[in-house]
Amino acid sequence: MKKTAIVGAIIAVIGVILFSIGLGRNGLKSIYWDNGFKINHTVTKTVSFKKVTDIDINAATTGPIMIERGDTPEVIIKTSKSRPVTTSVSDGKLNVTAKQHSGFQLHGFSFEYDDYSHSNVTIMIPKNMKLNTVTTAGDSTVIVKDVSVKTIVNNGDNDINLSNMSLADMLTIQSSSSGGDGDVTLNNVAAKGLTLSAYDDVTIANSRFNAQDSTVQSQDGDITFHQNDWRNVSASSSDGDINFNQQKIHQTFKATTTDGDIMGVVSPDKGVSIQTHVSDGDSTIFGFSRNSYGSTTGNQIYDLSSTDGDVGITR
């Protein structure tokens, strides 16, 4: 009995030593189940493609999906073998898809259900390639930078981020009725006008839409404007606040919220007209409790309405 215990202890010590050697030589591998146990590892690849006019993305990633300026059209993918990302091109459309394995993943000593989240995708678009539509599904952050896109359709729970974009057309960003959760952020974007519908928060900064009328809608989020240039703009939120600092308005700025506050900064210049409509809240303009300022025939008209909230304008 004593001899058996000694042999067992020796075997255990040898096992610990061998385990330590294996661990030191990167022997601890992540494995996943896909009709049998398989060893996981990082996969990095670049896929080239020819001219496309549309992009369709169906993927759930914690890393962003980037669409940005590049010298050659290509997709750069960094993911894991257990979470493969595939691409294809058909009829001028680039399709990016994250395939899905069933089962779980074992990383070290911990288990996690395979949610295909650890992937980064970068789509490079040359300067001479113009995009008509980008359609997204899944759950990701989609970033478009230095690339012109006419229409973005959000069919999933995606955050949309656009920056440094110049478009000689109307810009349309829409969320589908069956999905479309996520925030929308625009910075340094120029187009003739903007039609935007979102479910969550909307932030627009340093952007110009001064050739045609614009509409901005959020179903369940706040709307925030920073230093933009508008011809006419109508902003509305069903359940959120609307905030804006100094805007350049060529004609009319209209803001409506059902359940939220409207707070803004307006310079009391000649030609500025402010009209507020409050059902259940306070209205304050330049430090005074009132519902109007300036002439109703002004050339910069602010029309602000809140059903259940306050309206406050400062200079």
Side-chain angles (χ1 to χ4, degrees):
M1 185 70 176
K2 185 177 180 182
K3 189 178 295 184
T4 302
I6 293 173
V7 172
I10 293 172
I11 293 174
V13 170
I14 293 172
V16 170
I17 293 172
L18 292 175
F19 177 80
S20 300
I21 294 173
L23 190 63
R25 294 176 176 270
N26 297 320
L28 187 60
K29 301 293 185 180
S30 173
I31 62 174
Y32 66 97
W33 179 266
D34 179 27
N35 296 320
F37 284 108
K38 297 182 180 180
I39 297 176
N40 200 14
H41 59 81
T42 301
V43 176
T44 302
K45 63 180 180 179
T46 300
V47 181
S48 299
F49 59 90
K50 295 183 179 180
K51 183 178 180 180
V52 298
T53 56
D54 303 288
I55 298 176
D56 188 277
I57 301 168
N58 190 352
T61 63
T62 53
I65 295 176
M66 301 280 298
I67 303 174
E68 60 183 36
R69 180 72 64 222
D71 294 331
T72 58
E74 59 187 15
V75 183
I76 303 170
I77 300 169
K78 184 177 181 180
T79 185
S80 62
K81 190 176 180 181
S82 65
R83 301 174 168 99
V85 177
T86 61
T87 63
S88 65
V89 176
S90 60
D91 297 327
K93 178 188 290 186
L94 171 65
N95 301 286
V96 180
T97 305
K99 290 186 177 180
Q100 196 166 359
H101 289 309
S102 61
F104 62 88
Q105 180 174 290
L106 175 63
H107 181 73
F109 300 104
S110 63
F111 287 88
E112 64 180 55
Y113 285 98
D114 200 343
D115 58 3
Y116 322 99
S117 58
H118 305 291
S119 301
N120 293 291
V121 179
T122 302
I123 303 170
M124 310 300 288
I125 302 295
K127 187 176 181 179
N128 61 355
M129 188 179 296
K130 307 299 182 182
L131 297 178
N132 290 328
T133 305
V134 173
T135 304
T136 68
D139 185 0
S140 306
T141 297
V142 179
I143 299 174
V144 183
K145 184 177 180 181
D146 298 312
V147 175
S148 296
V149 184
K150 291 182 181 180
T151 302
I152 296 178
V153 181
N154 183 10
N155 290 326
D157 298 334
N158 301 284
D159 290 336
I160 307 296
N161 190 318
L162 276 61
S163 64
N164 303 334
M165 175 190 295
S166 182
L167 187 65
D169 295 283
M170 285 286 293
L171 172 61
T172 301
I173 303 172
Q174 63 187 57
S175 299
S176 70
S177 58
S178 59
D181 285 11
D183 300 334
V184 177
T185 302
L186 276 61
N187 185 36
N188 191 27
V189 174
K192 287 185 175 181
L194 172 67
T195 300
L196 188 157
S197 65
Y199 190 87
D200 292 327
D201 295 340
V202 175
T203 302
I204 302 175
N206 309 309
S207 297
R208 298 163 300 285
F209 307 100
N210 52 23
Q212 296 184 25
D213 296 347
S214 300
T215 58
V216 178
Q217 298 176 321
S218 173
Q219 183 174 336
D220 190 28
D222 299 331
I223 297 175
T224 304
F225 294 149
H226 295 291
Q227 297 178 325
N228 303 295
D229 186 354
W230 309 92
R231 180 174 181 247
N232 292 312
V233 59
S234 176
S236 61
S237 176
S238 299
D239 188 13
D241 299 329
I242 299 176
N243 299 284
F244 60 93
N245 64 4
Q246 191 70 51
Q247 307 289 299
K248 186 176 181 180
I249 305 299
H250 293 260
Q251 294 180 14
T252 303
F253 181 101
K254 184 175 182 179
T256 305
T257 179
T258 304
D259 186 11
D261 300 328
I262 300 175
M263 297 293 164
V265 176
V266 177
S267 179
D269 299 330
K270 183 179 179 179
V272 169
S273 172
I274 303 173
Q275 304 292 323
T276 66
H277 313 275
V278 178
S279 299
D280 186 12
D282 300 323
S283 174
T284 304
I285 302 175
F286 302 141
F288 295 94
S289 178
R290 53 186 172 183
N291 297 101
S292 65
Y293 173 88
S295 171
T296 56
T297 59
N299 54 22
Q300 296 181 49
I301 300 173
Y302 291 81
D303 188 353
L304 314 173
S305 303
S306 176
T307 304
D308 187 11
D310 301 329
V311 175
I313 299 300
T314 60
R315 64 183 74 196

